Amino acid sequence: MNQFLSPSSLCPSSPWPAHGGQAKALLAHYGLPADHRLEDFSANLNPLGPPAWVSTWLTHQLAGLERYPSPDYGVARRAIAAHYQLQPEQVLLTNGGAEAIFLAAALHAGKRGAVLTPSFGEYARACHAHRLSLTEIALPVPHFALDLEALLASLNGIDVLFLCRPNNPTATLIDFPAMEVLLEQTALIGCRVVVDEAFIDMVGETPQQVSLASLLVRYPHLMLLHSMTKFYTLPGLRLGYMLADEATINSAATHQPPWSVNHLAAELVAPLLADKAFARRTHRWLATERPRMMQSLTQLGLETGLEPLLELEPVVEIVPSHACFFLMRPSAAWGITSDTLFEQLLRRGILVRHTHNFSGLDGDWLRVALRDEPANRRLVNVLNKVLNDCLR
């Protein structure tokens, strides 16, 4: 059994924060002032959000803070159920996607779990908290494409499999047919499949086409975890949910504290899902900016006069993305390390995400969030300057 980073190894004194958007420790580690100006490319959030109406709407809802939220969050659950053409009994509202992960682990306390790696560290933390023994099943470097046959062969004796779709930090996506095969086979061996779909809305299709929600009726051992904070850029509000069969939802609810979700978050669910114009605008932006940024990143370093050599060995490897971020690493052939690139970007006012606490990446890669076009162009310009300086 492979070991994950324990919670104690992610203590505040570490220079490598466990999540994106945490600049303070990094600035101190590199001797930079706390007010060092930074553009944040480390947190995977929709740069178009939150929707313009949200701040005014929240102000109008403040009077509701004088009352307890509805204990069953019926309005929010019905809105989510309608969104996926499910029943409200198949929905559990949670305090962000993180609570949904911990509830899924709680249902399998003391059992045997597995996780596809590299992936979000909270699956391991949740399993550690609920005493699951945990096995890592590594996706092959550098493309991180799923070997379905190898995965199935690794699941003997496993009670629950955690995976992320699209995956964080690789931005790779296990396609729908492969997921159906995986679900068919895991049903036969009694292995629950927990799929974190926190970034599924960033794939660019409608949830009904890309989410696995339509498969819940056929596979009662499937659980889906969602976060609304990524797509709507509301990480401070903590809003997520779980989708599963009714019995699983009822069991998960027994592990949840009363009123886990606050009034403002719960009441915001229905109007967010009703804002189809915001979703369309986001998907149009993704359809143009993601491929443009992919092309820009693959051309990094081409201004050095080493173009013929770079065609044989590019300066930076880029994993094709199905989400709102890219995974990249400088090629070892050119003698540039990710830590060097990370530091030079930080000193030039660009914060990206390290990968020192992603099992299987071990700091060799960097994760870069997709932002609006002007910010993305600034990032590419700085990357080119840093890489060209290193190569000369």
Side-chain angles (χ1 to χ4, degrees):
M1 181 180 69
N2 296 318
Q3 296 298 313
F4 283 81
L5 292 172
S6 68
S8 61
S9 67
L10 303 176
C11 64
S13 62
S14 169
W16 302 113
H19 297 281
Q22 308 293 317
K24 183 178 179 180
L26 295 166
L27 292 173
H29 177 69
Y30 288 106
L32 295 170
D35 60 353
H36 181 68
R37 187 172 180 179
L38 285 176
E39 286 196 83
D40 190 353
F41 289 84
S42 69
N44 299 328
L45 300 169
N46 184 350
L48 305 186
W53 53 265
V54 167
S55 58
T56 301
W57 184 95
L58 288 171
T59 300
H60 291 159
Q61 293 292 322
L62 291 178
L65 297 178
E66 300 171 359
R67 302 182 297 276
Y68 284 98
S70 171
D72 67 353
Y73 302 109
V75 174
R77 291 170 58 227
R78 286 192 293 273
I80 295 168
H83 189 63
Y84 293 101
Q85 300 178 25
L86 300 173
Q87 298 301 313
E89 292 77 18
Q90 295 178 270
V91 180
L92 181 67
L93 204 64
T94 62
N95 190 282
E99 186 187 37
I101 293 169
F102 275 74
L103 291 175
L107 292 178
H108 304 88
K111 295 186 178 181
R112 296 157 297 181
V115 61
L116 285 180
T117 62
S119 204
F120 189 39
E122 294 304 320
Y123 312 134
R125 289 169 63 93
C127 289
H128 177 88
H130 292 286
R131 308 179 312 284
L132 277 81
S133 61
L134 198 60
T135 299
E136 293 180 354
I137 302 172
L139 294 167
V141 177
H143 302 297
F144 304 101
L146 176 67
D147 183 335
L148 185 56
E149 185 175 344
L151 171 60
L152 292 170
S154 302
L155 294 180
N156 290 328
I158 298 297
D159 297 300
V160 56
L161 169 67
F162 289 84
L163 62 90
C164 190
R165 181 180 179 271
N167 188 39
N168 176 21
T170 64
T172 50
L173 181 75
I174 304 174
D175 65 32
F176 210 94
M179 286 303 309
E180 289 185 287
V181 174
L182 175 61
L183 290 167
E184 289 282 355
Q185 296 303 310
T186 49
L188 296 176
I189 62 174
C191 176
R192 172 99 68 177
V193 179
V194 178
V195 182
D196 184 352
E197 294 191 328
F199 296 99
I200 200 68
D201 292 332
M202 292 292 190
V203 174
E205 301 288 344
T206 64
Q208 291 81 359
Q209 291 174 312
V210 177
S211 172
L212 301 177
S214 63
L215 299 181
L216 288 169
V217 67
R218 290 162 49 193
Y219 302 107
H221 69 301
L222 171 65
M223 296 174 61
L224 303 178
L225 315 180
H226 280 252
S227 167
M228 297 186 73
T229 60
K230 309 292 187 184
F231 190 71
Y232 297 103
T233 322
L234 295 166
L237 202 57
R238 312 310 308 138
L239 181 54
Y241 52 91
M242 176 188 294
L243 304 177
D245 70 293
E246 182 178 356
T248 299
I249 292 298
N250 289 338
S251 296
T254 65
H255 295 276
Q256 189 178 39
W259 298 294
S260 174
V261 181
N262 68 72
H263 160 76
L264 294 177
E267 293 298 316
L268 191 53
V269 170
L272 285 176
L273 293 178
D275 192 346
K276 307 300 183 186
F278 177 80
R280 287 193 297 269
R281 186 160 63 94
T282 298
H283 293 147
R284 285 195 300 268
W285 161 73
L286 282 166
T288 57
E289 188 60 13
R290 185 165 53 202
R292 191 201 67 78
M293 189 61 169
M294 178 69 185
Q295 183 178 16
S296 296
L297 291 173
T298 56
Q299 294 175 344
L300 286 170
L302 290 180
E303 299 175 3
T304 60
L306 301 173
E307 287 86 346
L309 295 176
L310 293 174
E311 290 180 4
L312 299 175
E313 188 69 52
V315 177
V316 177
E317 294 178 77
I318 308 294
V319 180
S321 173
H322 292 273
C324 57
F325 50 90
F326 291 90
L327 191 67
M328 57 184 284
R329 71 172 173 182
S331 173
W334 292 99
I336 307 170
T337 68
S338 286
D339 282 353
T340 297
L341 186 55
F342 181 93
E343 179 181 357
Q344 292 305 312
L345 288 172
L346 190 72
R347 292 187 180 280
R348 288 167 170 82
I350 299 289
L351 175 63
V352 298
R353 177 65 160 90
H354 71 88
T355 60
H356 281 280
N357 59 340
F358 283 105
S359 182
L361 297 184
D362 304 321
D364 292 337
W365 298 74
L366 298 173
R367 192 190 70 193
V368 180
L370 191 63
R371 293 185 53 188
D372 59 49
E373 183 177 352
N376 292 333
R377 289 188 184 278
R378 288 193 294 272
L379 169 66
V380 170
N381 288 338
V382 175
L383 275 167
N384 267 317
K385 289 176 182 177
V386 171
L387 291 168
N388 292 339
D389 287 349
C390 291
L391 291 171
R392 289 194 173 111

